[in-house]
Amino acid sequence: MADNTCKLAEGTRFSEELFSYLSKFFGFSKTSNIIGALVHPPSFYSIRVNTLKASVEEVYRSLCEKNIETVFHPILDDVLLIKVKGPFEIEVQGKIVVADKKAAESVYVGADLYAPGVISAKGVARSDFVTIVDEKGFPVANGIAMQSEVDILNQRKGLAVKVLRSRYQSASIRCLDEYASGKIYDQNIPAILTSIILEPTPHDVIVDMCAAPGGKTTHLAQLTSNKAKIYAFDNSKSKISKLIENINRLGVRNVSVIFSDSRYLHVDYPSLKADKVLLDPPCSALGVRPKLFEYKSVRDIIACAQYQMQFFKSAVEILKKGGILVYSTCTITPDENEIIVKYALENFPLELDKQILYLGTQGLNIIKGSNLLQRFYPDEHDTPGYFIAKFVKV
Ligand code: SAH
């Protein structure tokens, strides 16, 4: 990743290089709008109700009883939307605590600040009123220090600042009983749509090539009433333990979790044959919101795209003829989306297919069949930026 000294584009919190790369495809004004929207969270957080454990009505009622402002999704049956409030003004008062990017982005939407995310806390004593800022000095919240500077920086664990007022506020989904008991999973709308577009059925053998932490795997289990045979692969031990935790919490019973490099499944598991394959590989994550700033370079994006291409041989070899392959990313760059689709169509026996549901807009018109692709733009759809392609093996 580019270093922190890179120049930011005028009036934005994105690197100049990234801004001009995106402008080439989207134009100046659309790029400004996308970046402008990425800085804010969507106006609702979405949760998928895990119908293996609860009904949507039951969860809706229990959230309303807790005074959490909740509405049903107008189209997706198993989805509830929780209002995100803000932006609120954050006054710079008291001592300053600087949080790293990831921590600042969580605090910005209401989370407390934990010691590992603190970069500096100059002169802070326990019980001080503080302002939390990001690395660029942008204030994200006010709060009360729970540890002194020395403890925060030496011990590097535990709650550092209890947040009293953040720029945005919403229910902390992961602190709810409904979360602990596996009745809900926090997942954005395009990610929920991705598993639906794979059209899983109870009789399918399904391979999820990049499965952890398991948002889509557990949704596939739900959509097939715990009946399909699902193989969930991932090559990160720590993320696999999250995946197993989620599988257990959500009462999922039809998933085999396998630690493996999915680029070589056809070599390592020659008898594996799937009706459906989901490929949701690592990406530049430029669509993820909120994003306080972004320093990634075009080189980082190209590196992601080159990695993404490496999964296709294995995906196609393990897929039965006539089977479905869904490719998805949480990014907006054409190199990781349409250009990857073009590469896949030119090199493998794949054809693009119509998706069962379109809530976004079509792909960029830079490849044949772009009308069959689905894109989400943060400035248009009130979602993260996202991309979904559906292929059939011919
Ligand atoms: N589908 C997941 C999110 C996937 S994020 C969900 O919906 O929750 C991408 C995942 O790909 C990460 O967990 C990462 O560990 C995994 N990954 C990266 N390279 C991989 C490889 N070569 N083989 C298998 N998994 C890989």
Side-chain angles (χ1 to χ4, degrees):
M1 190 179 297
D3 67 36
N4 288 8
T5 56
C6 89
K7 201 155 171 236
L8 297 183
E10 186 75 27
T12 82
R13 306 181 126 244
F14 269 53
S15 70
E16 230 171 40
E17 187 189 340
L18 199 51
F19 191 94
S20 61
Y21 163 83
L22 293 172
S23 298
K24 265 199 311 207
F25 297 99
F26 301 116
F28 180 87
S29 117
K30 178 74 177 166
T31 303
S32 305
N33 291 346
I34 292 173
I35 291 174
L38 282 173
V39 175
H40 309 291
S43 57
F44 290 92
Y45 278 140
S46 49
I47 52 174
R48 167 167 60 84
V49 174
N50 176 25
T51 51
L52 295 173
K53 285 207 166 178
S55 71
V56 186
E57 290 72 21
E58 176 191 337
V59 172
Y60 174 77
R61 274 196 306 273
S62 70
L63 296 181
C64 290
E65 275 163 23
K66 293 181 173 124
N67 289 324
I68 296 172
E69 217 177 293
T70 309
V71 292
F72 291 93
H73 188 276
I75 295 165
L76 298 172
D77 287 345
D78 301 342
V79 178
L80 293 172
L81 303 170
I82 294 183
K83 183 81 192 136
V84 178
K85 294 178 182 152
F88 301 104
E89 200 51 49
I90 302 299
E91 278 182 46
V92 180
Q93 296 171 332
K95 304 222 168 77
I96 300 293
V97 175
V98 183
D100 69 24
K101 180 172 185 284
K102 198 161 169 244
E105 284 169 354
S106 301
V107 169
Y108 184 64
V109 292
D112 291 324
L113 178 62
Y114 288 83
V118 175
I119 294 176
S120 70
K122 211 156 173 247
V124 167
R126 202 183 136 91
S127 304
D128 275 352
F129 186 86
V130 299
T131 300
I132 303 170
V133 302
D134 74 2
E135 292 162 42
K136 310 245 75 174
F138 178 71
V140 291
N142 297 122
I144 298 287
M146 306 304 285
Q147 301 183 40
S148 68
E149 175 189 10
V150 175
D151 288 346
I152 291 173
L153 299 178
N154 286 350
Q155 294 174 21
R156 289 247 155 247
K157 59 170 195 244
L159 184 58
V161 181
K162 174 94 198 127
V163 165
L164 299 179
R165 183 181 168 84
S166 51
R167 187 75 66 167
Y168 290 91
Q169 283 157 23
S170 183
S172 309
I173 294 166
R174 294 192 181 194
C175 297
L176 297 170
D177 311 334
E178 290 82 356
Y179 183 85
S181 57
K183 291 180 178 170
I184 58 173
Y185 192 90
D186 48 326
Q187 195 174 22
N188 65 63
I189 298 294
I192 294 173
L193 196 57
T194 304
S195 302
I196 295 173
I197 287 169
L198 194 62
E199 297 177 47
T201 73
H203 309 292
D204 284 335
V205 173
I206 304 174
V207 170
D208 188 346
M209 297 179 78
C210 295
K216 298 182 188 73
T217 310
T218 55
H219 190 199
L220 291 168
Q222 168 178 341
L223 290 169
T224 61
S225 310
N226 252 337
K227 292 206 173 83
K229 178 73 214 132
I230 302 176
Y231 294 97
F233 292 94
D234 206 280
N235 76 340
S236 155
K237 285 227 160 97
S238 60
K239 289 190 176 166
I240 280 197
S241 46
K242 271 291 343 132
L243 168 64
I244 294 172
E245 207 178 291
N246 282 326
I247 284 176
N248 291 335
R249 187 170 55 80
L250 295 165
V252 166
R253 306 259 173 272
N254 57 333
V255 175
S256 304
V257 175
I258 304 163
F259 171 74
S260 197
D261 185 332
S262 297
R263 292 173 295 172
Y264 310 106
L265 295 182
H266 56 305
V267 180
D268 297 336
Y269 305 91
S271 59
L272 181 60
K273 292 286 166 233
D275 301 289
K276 314 272 161 77
V277 172
L278 178 60
L279 174 54
D280 184 37
C283 68
S284 61
L286 290 190
V288 174
R289 302 170 70 177
K291 193 175 285 301
L292 289 168
F293 52 87
E294 184 60 75
Y295 291 133
K296 285 196 180 101
S297 65
V298 174
R299 256 178 74 185
D300 297 324
I301 286 155
I302 301 302
C304 284
Q306 282 167 350
Y307 192 58
Q308 289 149 0
M309 286 179 198
Q310 294 172 27
F311 290 88
F312 276 89
K313 181 163 181 53
S314 159
V316 173
E317 295 256 332
I318 61 167
L319 186 60
K320 292 180 192 166
K321 207 170 164 187
I324 297 176
L325 166 65
V326 168
Y327 171 81
S328 59
T329 71
C330 56
T331 197
I332 53 174
T333 68
D335 277 286
E336 296 172 88
N337 295 326
E338 285 84 355
I339 305 294
I340 293 287
V341 169
K342 184 167 184 280
Y343 160 82
L345 294 172
E346 284 172 358
N347 290 280
F348 301 99
L350 293 172
E351 280 178 1
L352 282 175
D353 197 17
K354 195 165 188 298
Q355 302 177 14
I356 194 171
L357 187 57
Y358 286 88
L359 301 178
T361 50
Q362 62 180 46
L364 284 181
N365 192 11
I366 54 173
I367 63 164
K368 226 173 120 210
S370 58
N371 58 317
L372 297 172
L373 305 171
Q374 183 156 206
R375 260 185 179 267
F376 286 84
Y377 292 103
D379 58 323
E380 272 177 58
H381 302 106
D382 200 16
T383 63
Y386 209 90
F387 178 83
I388 309 171
K390 178 190 172 197
F391 301 92
V392 172
K393 182 170 171 179
V394 289

